[in-house]
Amino acid sequence: MFMLRNVSKYLFGDTSKEAVIEISQGQLYVVRPLSPKGYSELIFKDAAASIRRTGQDFQYQLVVQRAYEEGEEELADEDDEDSAADRLSGDKDEKIFLLDQSLHFRSEVREEGEKVLAWRDLSGDIGDLYEFVCDSSVPADKVATFELAAIECQYERKYRKSAQSAREEEFREFSFAEEDAIPNASPTTKDTNFGPTSADSAAHMAKEVKSSKKKVANVSAPRGAAATVAPASRPAQLGEILAEENAELHLFDFESGTFILQDSSVTAAVVETGRWQYWLQIRGSKRDWLGQEVIADINPVFNYEYLSFIFNHYGLDGAAYSWLLRFKDQERLEKFQEGLMQALWEQLNEMKWTKIKDQERDYVTEAFNDLTMDEAHHEDEEDEQEEEAVEDEDDGQRSENYDTDESEDDVDVHPDDGNVNSQLAVGYKHDRSFVVRGSKIGVFKHTPNNNLEFSTNISKVETPKGRLFSPKKVMLHAEDSNMVLQDEANPNSLYRMDLEYGKVVDEWKIHDDIPVNTFAPETKFAQMSAAQPFLGLSRNALYRIDPRVTGNKLVETDLKQYASKNDFSAAATTEKGYIAVASNKGDIRLFDRLGINAKTHIPALGEPIIGVDTSADGRWILATCRTYLLLIDALQKDGKNEGKLGFEKSFAKESKPQPRRLGLQPSHVAQFQHETKTPISFTPAKFNTGLDASETSIITATGPFIITWNLKKVLAGRKDPYTIKRYAEEVKADNFKYGSDKNVIVALPNEVNMVAKQTFKKPTRESIAGPGALSTPRRSAGARVSGLRKSEIVNSPY
């Protein structure tokens, strides 16, 4: 229990925060083991528990508050039939308890892994308890920290002084670990009118096994399950030590979904072993635990709430493991973080950490502090049932090799033409999606019931001179009537395909000496208009392309060319035409127009940026790196340019925009790789978009997984921002349907599908592993076991 003492000191340190600590997901019950009124009652089905400061010194409240999903609160208000007294007191939505010794507040981690907070119901009968049953994603050490914070609050209330200088033995009078085991809350489906009698409840209590609380130090895997075993360590590497600190070492167990203590005292060292080469070594008193290169794939996360560093480790066989180092205090964590971030940044940038400015070092370091240990999406039972129903309706595979003469039970969903789907372009002006497959393009219509229907096939993509090619990049243009195509073999030209005729009709020579590396629309919704110009990028130049000019199509007056190797990789525009340009170096430049210097330069974290998107209003910039996303707020909050975007005015030197690093939990990364045997590699992430739609979601994919982030949850600092959907094969391209975030268009190697976002699930061991039948078509009413119904198939002979 008291091993978490320093964590609590850190929590109490910031008196500006109303909440000392919070557990954001769980259920609140009142349990009456000896009462004839019924054994238990569910008070809040989805709730958050917190400890709050009050207006009086040394007084704290335990607060359990009902949590609403988006829109649920408004519906509840409309249907509310509670009494006026309940509405005025707020008792309908929250329960408040003064943190006092009389509550006998305690916690328990049961053998099956369930984590519970419990305290006496002082207004109830003898033996009545309130129980907050934590969601399965809440780590055990969070529960232990919560209890310790409650103990310190009770100490301060009783003795009217700060608990920070108190000795550990002084807290023992507020610990009720020796009391009987906390009784289990009954399932809520029972009819409480026919609940157990007091005799039955007494018998139930007698069967409860007294158990000591299992904190992080002794959490074990479920019975019958083999706990994850640490692999053999690679040999230690010699070199200059950048950081070396003592810590506890925990390993994530795939079966139980918890971090299990491996060694209570290890030495973690970051070592420079050669030019831009670095090594992480962890040693205990009896064995070396692990050694590995410091590279981006370790997916580092620093969590100050738990004084922890969480990272991934990869064995020589490709197996992935997730580790947690917990330090004794914040000072040790900060020293280790500085050494690790220096090594990671230098390895990625091949430049000394000391050569960049203090503000940029802070920018890099802070970006890795945004994630928390327990990010996971939570739905209530009704949501899950609804999602399953939707999934049953539209999750069948869509063949792309269908012939109308084929029988219904002989559908080949893996055409053997030597090509796979590679790119996806979603129409804005018309409900069409275009999928590139080698030198063919399939055209799919969006139906009113949010499915895809095959429309036509462009069987040959060839130049006006008749040379067949496979487009490297495509972009819809001029009211979705044209498509701009890029041929990798001819980097100084682009091609215009007339989609009405389904053939390339023009070759646009851009410039004799400046190639086209990538291109983007002139404004975010340009493809909905007849506008002709658009943006082009080479590795070191940004320019306008105008197909209407004679000769070369590059507009010289709008050219911004750099002498240095900026290595531009991606660009995106806002509704007003502001421009964000990213590079393989990992930095981002913001322009308000072409032909001038950037207004703002956002430093690199290290990894190359492979894709960039912007919100329509320019407030948010979304950059994709291989192992994480960056969400950047371009609005200036203070100074002379307060209220201006970084596109319009430069940020002050001391107030660079702070990125939010969006990544998967290290434990989820390990589980992903455990399933797929391949590292994380995101596709270019995108916001949902539409002329009258605000950005609410982000979508990307890695391997067979599609991931969506809820933007509202990200910006609110919620710990459950992303959900996933797994397929049997690698996702090649993905995007939202235009005008909404409710439906996602997915291109697999040999299939194209539109799926409801409701079918995405919280990342759990089961949803990551995926159902065993994913690789075969789902059977539904009217379908034969050996095949799909015609209505389930996208008819695409290309």
Side-chain angles (χ1 to χ4, degrees):
M1 155 58 67
F2 297 105
M3 66 182 178
L4 294 176
R5 180 84 173 95
N6 286 323
V7 177
S8 185
K9 283 184 179 179
Y10 178 70
L11 293 175
F12 275 80
D14 188 355
T15 57
S16 64
K17 293 182 179 179
E18 181 186 18
V20 174
I21 187 172
E22 179 184 45
I23 294 177
S24 58
Q25 288 98 22
Q27 294 182 326
L28 179 66
Y29 295 83
V30 60
V31 181
R32 309 181 184 96
L34 307 176
S35 174
K37 293 187 294 185
Y39 182 71
S40 74
E41 178 185 352
L42 178 62
I43 306 299
F44 297 147
K45 190 173 185 179
D46 191 2
S50 63
I51 294 175
R52 293 181 187 168
R53 293 179 173 87
T54 68
Q56 300 181 43
D57 291 340
F58 310 119
Q59 301 281 5
Y60 300 87
Q61 293 174 335
L62 170 64
V63 181
V64 183
Q65 192 169 33
R66 185 198 304 271
Y68 288 100
E69 288 296 325
E70 186 173 353
E72 184 183 358
E73 186 170 8
E74 289 80 356
L75 291 173
D77 289 340
E78 291 173 6
D79 299 333
D80 186 20
E81 297 179 357
D82 289 337
S83 68
D86 278 348
R87 289 194 298 271
L88 289 172
S89 68
D91 195 54
K92 177 175 70 73
D93 291 325
E94 67 179 12
K95 295 284 186 182
I96 300 175
F97 310 87
L98 182 64
L99 263 174
D100 183 81
Q101 190 174 5
S102 60
L103 289 179
H104 283 216
F105 185 91
R106 52 201 169 106
S107 72
E108 184 174 280
V109 180
R110 295 177 175 140
E111 289 188 1
E112 65 273 18
E114 188 175 57
K115 293 153 288 238
V116 182
L117 301 171
W119 59 97
R120 288 180 174 179
D121 179 5
L122 300 179
S123 61
D125 297 330
I126 295 175
D128 288 5
L129 294 170
Y130 280 100
E131 293 187 21
F132 184 83
V133 181
C134 301
D135 185 86
S136 59
S137 67
V138 176
D141 57 353
K142 178 85 177 224
V143 178
T145 307
F146 195 100
E147 183 181 1
L148 181 57
I151 286 174
E152 295 200 4
C153 290
Q154 294 169 66
Y155 175 92
E156 292 192 0
R157 170 171 165 75
K158 182 172 182 177
Y159 294 106
R160 307 292 296 173
K161 64 179 181 179
S162 171
Q164 301 306 310
S165 58
R167 300 187 306 276
E168 290 188 358
E169 53 267 25
E170 295 181 74
F171 294 126
R172 299 198 185 279
E173 67 172 300
F174 304 98
S175 175
F176 301 96
E178 302 306 319
E179 295 198 4
D180 289 344
I182 300 169
N184 283 312
S186 296
T188 60
T189 54
K190 292 183 179 179
D191 188 339
T192 56
N193 292 326
F194 298 93
T197 64
S198 59
D200 293 334
S201 296
H204 177 88
M205 285 290 290
K207 292 179 181 179
E208 288 286 347
V209 179
K210 292 183 180 181
S211 60
S212 61
K213 290 180 285 185
K214 294 175 174 57
K215 303 305 178 187
V216 165
N218 60 355
V219 172
S220 58
R223 291 179 179 178
T228 302
V229 178
S233 176
R234 294 165 65 183
Q237 301 288 314
L238 300 177
E240 180 185 352
I241 295 176
L242 302 183
E244 187 174 51
E245 298 293 339
N246 292 326
E248 293 174 0
L249 180 66
H250 303 253
L251 175 64
F252 184 80
D253 177 56
F254 291 107
E255 293 296 332
S256 66
T258 59
F259 281 95
I260 297 177
L261 182 70
Q262 305 294 307
D263 197 326
S264 60
S265 181
V266 299
T267 300
V270 180
V271 181
E272 183 176 1
T273 60
R275 184 170 177 80
W276 316 127
Q277 295 179 340
Y278 304 87
W279 189 261
L280 173 62
Q281 191 73 37
I282 300 177
R283 290 176 166 175
S285 59
K286 297 181 179 179
R287 61 168 287 185
D288 284 1
W289 283 99
L290 69 87
Q292 74 167 37
E293 297 91 348
V294 177
I295 54 176
D297 282 321
I298 70 173
N299 194 39
V301 174
F302 292 90
N303 188 293
Y304 274 79
E305 183 177 356
Y306 296 94
L307 299 177
S308 296
F309 165 53
I310 315 166
F311 65 99
N312 289 119
H313 164 224
Y314 302 94
L316 294 176
D317 60 351
Y321 303 85
S322 186
W323 294 88
L324 181 151
L325 285 168
R326 188 167 66 195
F327 298 86
K328 292 183 179 180
D329 53 46
Q330 184 177 346
E331 182 181 2
R332 287 179 172 86
L333 174 58
E334 288 177 346
K335 287 181 179 178
F336 185 82
Q337 180 180 19
E338 184 176 349
L340 192 282
M341 293 310 303
Q342 175 183 342
L344 183 62
W345 193 89
E346 290 184 1
Q347 188 272 329
L348 289 167
N349 291 276
E350 297 189 354
M351 180 187 298
K352 280 297 180 182
W353 181 249
T354 53
K355 288 189 176 181
I356 64 173
K357 298 175 182 178
D358 290 344
Q359 293 93 336
E360 292 189 13
R361 285 201 294 270
D362 292 341
Y363 172 91
V364 173
T365 301
E366 286 296 323
F368 287 86
N369 292 339
D370 287 342
L371 296 182
T372 53
M373 291 174 58
D374 51 350
E375 287 182 354
H377 185 65
H378 300 273
E379 306 107 347
D380 58 29
E381 293 176 5
E382 287 82 356
D383 288 338
E384 291 177 352
Q385 290 170 0
E386 181 181 353
E387 288 171 356
E388 289 173 4
V390 174
E391 190 172 16
D392 283 341
E393 290 174 4
D394 68 1
D395 201 37
Q397 294 188 57
R398 270 60 167 169
S399 169
E400 297 180 357
N401 195 34
Y402 186 76
D403 188 310
T404 53
D405 294 331
E406 287 185 8
S407 69
E408 286 189 8
D409 52 358
D410 183 20
V411 179
D412 179 11
V413 295
H414 294 284
D416 187 18
D417 61 1
N419 294 305
V420 295
N421 297 331
S422 61
Q423 296 176 70
L424 170 68
V426 177
Y428 287 7
K429 185 74 173 180
H430 307 293
D431 283 337
R432 297 288 187 276
S433 286
F434 301 81
V435 179
V436 178
R437 181 186 183 89
S439 57
K440 304 174 184 178
I441 299 176
V443 185
F444 300 89
K445 179 182 178 181
H446 306 169
T447 67
N449 61 342
N450 293 317
N451 281 314
L452 290 182
E453 180 182 291
F454 177 73
S455 178
T456 189
N457 169 42
I458 300 170
S459 59
K460 288 185 178 181
V461 178
E462 54 187 12
T463 68
K465 296 181 180 179
R467 181 173 61 83
L468 201 68
F469 71 95
S470 299
K472 174 187 174 184
K473 179 178 171 62
V474 300
M475 182 182 76
L476 290 169
H477 187 55
E479 297 182 314
D480 290 351
S481 63
N482 295 329
M483 180 178 283
V484 181
L485 311 172
Q486 185 176 28
D487 177 11
E488 192 169 14
N490 188 4
N492 293 81
S493 292
L494 295 173
Y495 298 91
R496 178 176 75 90
M497 172 177 282
D498 187 320
L499 292 174
E500 183 178 351
Y501 293 99
K503 62 183 294 185
V504 174
V505 294
D506 285 322
E507 177 179 350
W508 295 332
K509 185 68 175 292
I510 305 304
H511 195 276
D512 294 333
D513 303 315
I514 301 176
V516 181
N517 181 47
T518 188
F519 47 95
E522 190 170 44
T523 64
K524 191 170 185 72
F525 303 111
Q527 72 183 72
M528 297 193 72
S529 71
Q532 292 298 308
F534 55 99
L535 305 183
L537 283 83
S538 71
R539 293 295 182 188
N540 299 304
L542 174 63
Y543 47 85
R544 177 175 280 108
I545 297 170
D546 191 342
R548 299 169 300 183
V549 302
T550 57
N552 289 345
K553 307 302 180 183
L554 187 150
V555 181
E556 296 279 354
T557 55
D558 293 327
L559 169 65
K560 175 61 182 177
Q561 196 163 14
Y562 293 82
S564 59
K565 295 181 179 179
N566 290 319
D567 206 4
F568 294 142
S569 58
T573 52
T574 70
E575 189 171 9
K576 289 184 177 180
Y578 298 153
I579 308 162
V581 179
S583 79
N584 284 317
K585 293 182 177 181
D587 57 351
I588 300 172
R589 289 173 169 81
L590 307 183
F591 302 82
D592 64 345
R593 61 188 186 278
L594 287 170
I596 63 168
N597 290 330
K599 287 291 194 296
T600 297
H601 178 235
I602 300 173
L605 294 185
E607 282 200 50
I609 295 175
I610 60 174
V612 67
D613 196 11
T614 65
S615 60
D617 63 4
R619 171 74 186 271
W620 299 102
I621 301 160
L622 178 66
T624 307
C625 299
R626 185 173 61 86
T627 61
Y628 57 83
L629 313 181
L630 286 175
L631 182 65
I632 301 166
D633 188 352
L635 182 66
Q636 302 190 47
K637 311 294 195 309
D638 49 35
K640 65 178 182 179
N641 295 326
E642 181 179 358
K644 294 290 186 180
L645 297 172
F647 294 96
E648 304 168 295
K649 296 289 183 179
S650 299
F651 278 83
K653 291 182 179 180
E654 65 278 2
S655 61
K656 289 287 184 185
Q658 184 58 53
R660 296 169 187 256
R661 179 177 171 271
L662 307 185
L664 305 177
Q665 282 192 65
S667 57
H668 293 157
V669 173
Q671 287 179 311
F672 277 31
Q673 184 153 332
H674 182 72
E675 292 293 328
T676 64
K677 310 304 180 188
T678 56
I680 294 294
S681 183
F682 286 130
T683 58
K686 303 175 185 69
F687 292 114
N688 66 295
T689 192
L691 273 176
D692 300 317
S694 60
E695 292 80 7
T696 55
S697 299
I698 295 167
I699 190 167
T700 184
T702 176
F705 302 96
I706 303 181
I707 302 104
T708 63
W709 272 266
N710 182 309
L711 192 58
K712 182 178 179 181
K713 291 182 178 181
V714 169
L715 299 181
R718 285 279 300 272
K719 298 177 180 179
D720 55 349
Y722 64 87
T723 56
I724 69 167
K725 186 175 181 68
R726 176 166 182 175
Y727 284 86
E729 297 179 287
E730 180 183 2
V731 176
K732 293 294 186 179
D734 52 276
N735 204 346
F736 290 109
K737 179 183 176 182
Y738 178 73
S740 171
D741 72 343
K742 304 302 183 186
N743 294 282
V744 176
I745 301 167
V746 184
L748 302 175
N750 301 296
E751 302 155 33
V752 184
N753 200 355
M754 185 185 293
V755 296
K757 198 179 72 170
Q758 282 183 309
T759 64
F760 287 59
K761 301 292 185 183
K762 61 183 178 182
T764 63
R765 182 167 167 263
E766 291 74 20
S767 63
I768 292 173
L774 262 177
S775 59
T776 58
R778 181 186 298 273
R779 187 179 183 183
S780 56
R784 306 178 76 171
V785 176
S786 56
L788 293 169
R789 295 177 298 165
K790 288 186 178 181
S791 62
E792 291 183 300
I793 298 165
V794 170
N795 180 357
S796 172
Y798 81 109

